[in-house]
Amino acid sequence: MEASDVGADVTKLLEELSRFGKDPDGGVTRLLYDSAWKKAQRFVASAMHDAGLEVTFDEIGNVYGKLAGADEAAPSILTGSHIDTVRSGGHYDGALGVAAGIAALSRLKTKYGIPRRSLEVVSFCEEEGSRFPLAYWGSGNVTGSKDFEGALDARDSEGITLREAMFEAGFDPESFRQSKRRDIGAFVELHIEQGEVLHRGGYDIGIVGAIFGQRRYLVEVHGRSGHAGTTPMDIREDALAACAEMIVWMRRTARETGDGLVATVGKLEVTPNVANVIPGIVRFTLDIRHSDERALDGFCELTIRAFSLIAKEMGVLVTADCWLSELPSPMNDELSKAISNVCDHIGLSKLPISSGAGHDAGLFANVCPTAMIFVPSRDGISHSPEEYTSPEQMACGTEVLTELLYTLAYLEEAT
Amino acid sequence: MEASDVGADVTKLLEELSRFGKDPDGGVTRLLYDSAWKKAQRFVASAMHDAGLEVTFDEIGNVYGKLAGADEAAPSILTGSHIDTVRSGGHYDGALGVAAGIAALSRLKTKYGIPRRSLEVVSFCEEEGSRFPLAYWGSGNVTGSKDFEGALDARDSEGITLREAMFEAGFDPESFRQSKRRDIGAFVELHIEQGEVLHRGGYDIGIVGAIFGQRRYLVEVHGRSGHAGTTPMDIREDALAACAEMIVWMRRTARETGDGLVATVGKLEVTPNVANVIPGIVRFTLDIRHSDERALDGFCELTIRAFSLIAKEMGVLVTADCWLSELPSPMNDELSKAISNVCDHIGLSKLPISSGAGHDAGLFANVCPTAMIFVPSRDGISHSPEEYTSPEQMACGTEVLTELLYTLAYLEEAT
């Protein structure tokens, strides 16, 4: 197998795929079940077909391309990612994993013929949560690991329900639970890093140890608004000043905690937000992530306690509503070791890394042995038209994926 | 003179005045030259007329009511305030000073007849800066102490120029400079405190020592946005985290500085303002006020230097644009002493106080002896429908004003 060949295949597939949903600014917008999405997923199906794979759409619009193994009863080795995007997203997030999976299976079939165990590549219908207020509609249903009770009634920004959008796209909303699979033996996902650790360090490959767990909070600080000129400093109940103390505390404590923990206030809104009025109310978001569940819980509890103390000192009230809590997803050690061996074998530099972003692989981690391979993102930029990974870097990732799948499906005994 | 009588007159005048521009929420909106403003200013003119005063409109819509003195050549003693409001403002800010001036002159004329020196009450057309991006259009022109070069081209939120609005209201835009007066011997303004110092302390009267000078800045912090999950804490250039350090520094240093200094971040906006994205840009306002020019300058310089240091430490860039700089306006010591004597004479409790808000009196401070009398604002609330000062408190303020004007116009020799 020549790396340059699979690399060229992936680059070509990605270029073709990026035509669907192309924005004037060079970005790509493909939202679940919209017109660009439909064309893209049909294109993926035809590319799978051209690669000599058996193509099937499931109940919700995930597309599978299968290279059936000699042992029909053995669970499949699955690779892939998603083809939906954020609004004005990049060309690589998700799409790379789908294109690389197709290229890998195509190459393996051509070179080695029928594997011992079935190999499949999947293009998940949805991962980003860009259209409806839910995410992982693809992998969450396939693994059965998300509670999608009531999800069909979710509405997009134009008021269209998921049920309507799904029906419109030609799928049967009521049968979404039938897309669950129980015959997956392992899942491997190739993805861009979306951070700049590999880019800064000049590494070819990141081997993901865990996908961060995360907690999201909406914090509200209620003080008392007043005239900026006539209210002495010592009787103020300034919601923004209190919130500044909270942000300073959290950042410093997160840095002291270290061990990869990240804590962010990304969104903040002040009321009434007038130059000469002391802020009465501030609402802000917390996004806290870590690879270890206990460390994540500990930091979150510490933060909420500290916020309460700061609020008390500053004479304001604070509430923190945790509206999202996702457990960390540790990847499979043996698979990660196998990826490491492949890198050594090919001669690629590699780095153990955590994934701060969520991925489809996270949904599989509790269901079957799961691994993730990262390739660098230029300057760590993602979810943007500026997202970029070079053809050479994609070729390295695809080569690692192909070798790993070869090992898993052709060399190992089905268990 | 009975306090209850002038108090009742003021309460009645204010009630009548509050009909013009009444909002559904109970507040009042009278913007320079708009329909409610015109009706209110005409009502004031008729009230002056009913009080037996000679009424004149000047070139820009200020209304004067005059009680001519025996010494026609002596400069006038002027009292008054403004009748324009902020959007959805209260019933007392500005209007009280106008109503009290009319009531005082009416009572003095009835009781004592012609004064030695002329007494005048003025209803300034504009002080708040609510419609056009300029303030003190009334007192600034009368004193000639504002540079209104180009002001006629200022536009309101609907694109109407001051020139057009003025013409529409029946005034001659080009002659605005003719409204300047050179014959004012003293100015006294009665106003609500708009803070809670008198209310908290249970005082009847505040005697203003100085109107705070103020500086307003627009501060921009430029960092680098990035993924909240994939960007390690130690390589972030988080504009909001940097700005939080700045706010914390400023509040703590302002409190340590003491001496009445107030420093406020009232408006703050984050870009892109998304929960899972590290803030790339934050823009916020600074509003810093103090009664002493050197102390104000010193604190502002210290703040800008500290912000630069914080920015450097945090790996972000900061710029601070000072777009408003007003000097402190010290009130006249002799007039303030006279107010204090009047309070003692009547038996009212009094407190020396600074004014954190700007007032028409500030424009007169460099032109003639000027004084301000404050009455309490319930809970310090102002610029709001909740603004409240009781009839008894207004009566006390009006009685002090009346006695002071009596002293100045009837007892003292014109100089």
Side-chain angles (χ1 to χ4, degrees):
Chain A
M1 181 175 47
E2 295 79 30
S4 59
D5 290 354
V6 283
D9 288 355
V10 167
T11 302
K12 185 159 168 286
L13 269 172
L14 269 184
E15 267 176 23
E16 290 173 333
L17 194 49
S18 71
R19 294 194 320 254
F20 306 104
K22 193 154 205 158
D23 296 319
D25 66 357
V28 180
T29 302
R30 291 190 293 264
L31 307 182
L32 179 62
Y33 301 139
D34 77 3
S35 157
W37 176 94
K38 272 183 273 192
K39 288 178 191 153
Q41 198 70 316
R42 278 203 293 263
F43 167 78
V44 166
S46 72
M48 287 172 172
H49 179 81
D50 295 347
L53 307 175
E54 301 160 28
V55 180
T56 48
F57 271 89
D58 74 0
E59 290 76 3
I60 62 171
N62 296 317
V63 178
Y64 292 93
K66 183 171 182 178
L67 176 56
D71 183 352
E72 293 265 8
S76 284
I77 308 296
L78 181 66
T79 188
S81 193
H82 60 95
I83 56 109
D84 72 313
T85 69
V86 297
R87 287 173 202 275
S88 196
H91 297 188
Y92 306 85
D93 179 356
L96 170 61
V98 174
I102 296 171
L105 264 61
S106 170
R107 191 54 48 113
L108 289 170
K109 183 182 182 189
T110 305
K111 193 153 181 188
Y112 303 106
I114 293 172
R116 290 190 183 190
R117 294 171 62 164
S118 295
L119 269 170
E120 294 186 59
V121 53
V122 62
S123 173
F124 291 118
C125 56
E126 199 275 347
E127 186 256 14
E128 297 286 4
S130 306
R131 180 170 177 187
F132 296 96
L134 51 87
Y136 306 112
W137 181 242
S139 55
N141 275 308
V142 169
T143 57
S145 53
K146 288 284 266 190
D147 174 19
F148 282 127
E149 187 68 34
L152 293 173
D153 298 317
R155 289 179 189 275
D156 69 7
S157 60
E158 287 166 8
I160 299 167
T161 62
L162 176 58
R163 178 180 283 106
E164 289 160 352
M166 211 171 156
F167 183 79
E168 184 72 24
F171 302 100
D172 174 16
E174 304 308 330
S175 62
F176 73 87
R177 289 192 206 278
Q178 293 175 32
S179 56
K180 181 169 176 179
R181 296 276 301 260
R182 290 176 181 83
D183 58 345
I184 308 296
F187 180 70
V188 183
E189 183 173 9
L190 173 66
H191 205 283
I192 58 169
E193 182 199 339
Q194 300 181 272
E196 56 186 318
V197 175
L198 298 178
H199 173 79
R200 283 200 173 206
Y203 292 96
D204 300 314
I205 297 293
I207 304 171
V208 177
I211 297 173
F212 277 5
Q214 61 175 293
R215 294 248 199 127
R216 300 260 190 110
Y217 293 82
L218 181 64
V219 182
E220 284 199 18
V221 179
H222 285 253
R224 200 158 56 103
S225 69
H227 194 296
T230 63
T231 314
M233 294 303 286
D234 55 0
I235 64 168
R236 294 184 175 207
E237 299 162 17
D238 183 331
L240 182 58
C243 148
E245 297 274 355
M246 293 173 191
I247 295 175
V248 166
W249 181 92
M250 189 176 76
R251 179 180 156 274
R252 290 181 185 173
T253 310
R255 286 172 62 101
E256 283 161 19
T257 305
D259 192 26
L261 179 122
V262 285
T264 308
V265 176
K267 186 173 181 182
L268 183 145
E269 274 158 354
V270 178
T271 303
N273 210 32
V274 173
N276 62 350
V277 178
I278 298 162
I281 303 174
V282 177
R283 293 183 180 86
F284 64 94
T285 57
L286 291 186
D287 177 315
I288 302 173
R289 309 191 194 200
H290 197 270
S291 57
D292 180 78
E293 186 181 346
R294 271 185 58 183
L296 178 63
D297 287 350
F299 183 82
C300 289
E301 278 165 34
L302 193 64
T303 299
I304 301 308
R305 257 208 314 276
F307 281 14
S308 293
L309 286 174
I310 291 169
K312 206 169 169 186
E313 268 171 36
M314 303 282 291
V316 300
L317 294 172
V318 65
T319 57
D321 174 35
C322 180
W323 62 272
L324 185 147
S325 180
E326 282 178 3
L327 292 176
S329 303
M331 298 290 101
N332 180 272
D333 284 342
E334 283 180 44
L335 284 180
S336 294
K337 185 80 185 82
I339 295 169
S340 178
N341 291 341
V342 167
C343 290
D344 291 345
H345 179 241
I346 304 174
L348 296 175
S349 62
K350 67 197 191 271
L351 185 75
I353 192 170
S354 291
S355 174
H359 293 291
D360 292 312
L363 287 288
F364 281 90
N366 285 318
V367 173
C368 65
T370 299
M372 278 201 89
I373 302 162
F374 271 177
V375 288
S377 299
R378 187 176 63 190
D379 294 325
I381 294 168
S382 183
H383 284 188
S384 152
E386 306 295 312
E387 195 174 86
Y388 183 75
T389 298
S390 73
E392 295 71 28
Q393 290 169 323
M394 293 194 291
C396 290
T398 309
E399 199 185 355
V400 171
L401 176 69
T402 310
E403 288 273 3
L404 178 71
L405 295 176
Y406 175 71
T407 308
L408 295 176
Y410 287 83
L411 300 186
E412 292 189 1
E413 291 291 329
T415 50
Chain B
M1 181 175 47
E2 295 77 31
S4 58
D5 291 354
V6 284
D9 288 355
V10 167
T11 302
K12 184 158 169 287
L13 269 172
L14 269 183
E15 266 176 23
E16 289 174 334
L17 194 48
S18 71
R19 296 194 319 255
F20 305 105
K22 192 152 205 159
D23 296 319
D25 66 358
V28 178
T29 302
R30 291 190 293 261
L31 307 182
L32 179 61
Y33 302 139
D34 77 2
S35 158
W37 176 95
K38 273 182 275 191
K39 287 179 192 152
Q41 199 69 316
R42 278 203 294 263
F43 167 78
V44 166
S46 71
M48 288 172 172
H49 178 81
D50 294 347
L53 307 175
E54 300 158 30
V55 181
T56 49
F57 271 89
D58 74 2
E59 290 76 3
I60 62 172
N62 295 318
V63 177
Y64 292 93
K66 183 170 180 178
L67 175 57
D71 183 351
E72 291 266 8
S76 284
I77 307 297
L78 181 66
T79 188
S81 191
H82 59 95
I83 57 108
D84 71 314
T85 68
V86 297
R87 286 172 202 275
S88 195
H91 297 187
Y92 306 86
D93 179 356
L96 170 61
V98 175
I102 297 171
L105 265 60
S106 169
R107 191 54 47 109
L108 289 171
K109 183 181 181 192
T110 305
K111 192 153 180 188
Y112 303 105
I114 294 171
R116 291 188 180 192
R117 295 171 61 165
S118 295
L119 270 170
E120 293 185 59
V121 54
V122 61
S123 173
F124 290 120
C125 55
E126 200 275 345
E127 187 257 13
E128 297 285 4
S130 305
R131 179 170 178 186
F132 297 96
L134 53 85
Y136 307 111
W137 181 242
S139 55
N141 275 308
V142 169
T143 56
S145 53
K146 289 284 267 188
D147 174 19
F148 283 128
E149 187 67 36
L152 293 173
D153 298 319
R155 287 179 190 276
D156 69 7
S157 60
E158 286 166 9
I160 299 167
T161 62
L162 176 57
R163 179 179 283 106
E164 289 160 354
M166 211 171 156
F167 183 79
E168 183 72 24
F171 302 100
D172 174 16
E174 304 309 328
S175 61
F176 73 88
R177 288 190 208 278
Q178 294 174 32
S179 58
K180 182 170 174 178
R181 296 273 303 260
R182 289 176 181 81
D183 57 347
I184 307 296
F187 180 71
V188 184
E189 183 173 7
L190 172 66
H191 206 282
I192 58 168
E193 182 199 337
Q194 299 182 272
E196 55 186 318
V197 175
L198 298 178
H199 173 80
R200 282 200 175 209
Y203 291 96
D204 299 314
I205 298 292
I207 304 172
V208 177
I211 297 174
F212 276 5
Q214 61 174 295
R215 293 247 200 128
R216 300 261 190 110
Y217 292 83
L218 181 64
V219 182
E220 284 199 18
V221 178
H222 284 253
R224 200 159 56 102
S225 69
H227 194 296
T230 63
T231 313
M233 294 303 287
D234 55 0
I235 63 169
R236 293 184 175 206
E237 298 163 17
D238 183 331
L240 182 58
C243 148
E245 297 274 356
M246 294 172 191
I247 295 174
V248 165
W249 181 92
M250 189 176 77
R251 180 181 155 273
R252 289 182 185 175
T253 310
R255 286 172 62 102
E256 283 162 19
T257 304
D259 192 27
L261 180 122
V262 285
T264 308
V265 177
K267 187 173 180 179
L268 183 145
E269 274 159 354
V270 178
T271 303
N273 211 31
V274 174
N276 62 349
V277 178
I278 298 162
I281 303 175
V282 177
R283 293 183 181 88
F284 63 94
T285 58
L286 291 186
D287 177 315
I288 302 173
R289 309 192 193 199
H290 197 270
S291 56
D292 179 77
E293 186 181 346
R294 271 184 59 182
L296 177 63
D297 287 350
F299 184 82
C300 289
E301 279 166 32
L302 192 66
T303 299
I304 301 308
R305 257 207 315 277
F307 281 14
S308 293
L309 287 174
I310 290 168
K312 205 169 170 186
E313 269 170 37
M314 302 283 291
V316 299
L317 295 172
V318 66
T319 58
D321 174 37
C322 179
W323 62 272
L324 184 148
S325 180
E326 281 177 5
L327 293 176
S329 304
M331 299 290 101
N332 179 273
D333 283 342
E334 283 179 46
L335 283 182
S336 294
K337 185 81 186 79
I339 295 170
S340 179
N341 290 342
V342 167
C343 290
D344 291 344
H345 178 241
I346 304 176
L348 296 175
S349 60
K350 63 194 193 273
L351 185 75
I353 192 170
S354 291
S355 174
H359 293 290
D360 292 311
L363 287 290
F364 282 90
N366 286 318
V367 173
C368 64
T370 299
M372 278 201 89
I373 302 161
F374 272 177
V375 288
S377 299
R378 188 176 62 191
D379 294 326
I381 295 168
S382 183
H383 284 190
S384 152
E386 304 296 312
E387 196 174 86
Y388 183 75
T389 298
S390 73
E392 295 71 29
Q393 290 169 324
M394 294 194 291
C396 290
T398 309
E399 198 186 355
V400 171
L401 176 68
T402 311
E403 288 273 4
L404 179 72
L405 295 177
Y406 175 72
T407 308
L408 296 177
Y410 288 83
L411 300 187
E412 291 188 2
E413 291 291 328
T415 50

